[in-house]
Amino acid sequence: MVKTGFKQITQGLLSETFVEAHRIMRVKKIDDEEEEGTELTEDEIIGLSQEDDFYEKLASSLAPEIFGHEDIKKTLLLLLVGGVDCTPHGMEIRGNINICLMGDPGVAKSQLLSYIDHIAPRSQYTTGRGSSGVGLTAAVMKDPITGEMTLEGGALVLADQGVCCIDEFDKMLDSDRTAIHEVMEQQT
């Protein structure tokens, strides 16, 4: 009787796999662009920050291929920079910003979210159409090799202390939407 799948793997491989490499390179275009960029010196950063239109320049550099939407770009810039958590008189005030972009179809909401997901150091992009409130926090997955059930983090867990972009939020069920409200309010 011929065994297949996981039973065959546990029984032993029929042949050994061997790879000899002289050089390993990343082939993603994004990584090449990041390596070519030069770091700004501290004097250059101080010089830029003292310019009058520094905030406008930073906002217009977000998604430069999208014309207009200056107020939205400034808001997204503040989202990326974040705020400062403070506790005056024992009351905790969070510094995180939640943004809801609403508008007519075709006004570049999804493109702005994709751009923010691309440049944020820790971010996740998902759509409300295929997501549920439970799926955004965690999901139980079956390992195809071992058949064991494992718990994997959802988009909100993977974007912890970062940016979670949920496109087409209106396509979610009302019960799933209310489950996300606690995450946005309490940051838990």
Side-chain angles (χ1 to χ4, degrees), residues 57-118:
K57 282 183 180 178
L58 279 178
S60 64
S61 69
L62 283 178
E65 67 274 4
I66 298 172
F67 180 75
H69 301 299
E70 297 302 322
D71 291 336
I72 295 171
K73 290 181 180 182
K74 288 179 183 178
T75 307
L76 292 173
L77 177 65
L78 293 175
L79 170 80
L80 288 174
V81 173
V84 178
D85 294 334
C86 59
T87 54
H89 309 295
M91 181 176 67
E92 186 173 332
I93 299 174
R94 63 177 171 81
N96 298 345
I97 301 171
N98 296 320
I99 297 175
C100 178
L101 295 178
M102 295 176 15
D104 294 330
V107 291
K109 299 180 298 290
S110 297
Q111 285 83 5
L112 286 168
L113 287 179
S114 297
Y115 191 83
I116 294 299
D117 177 51
H118 175 71

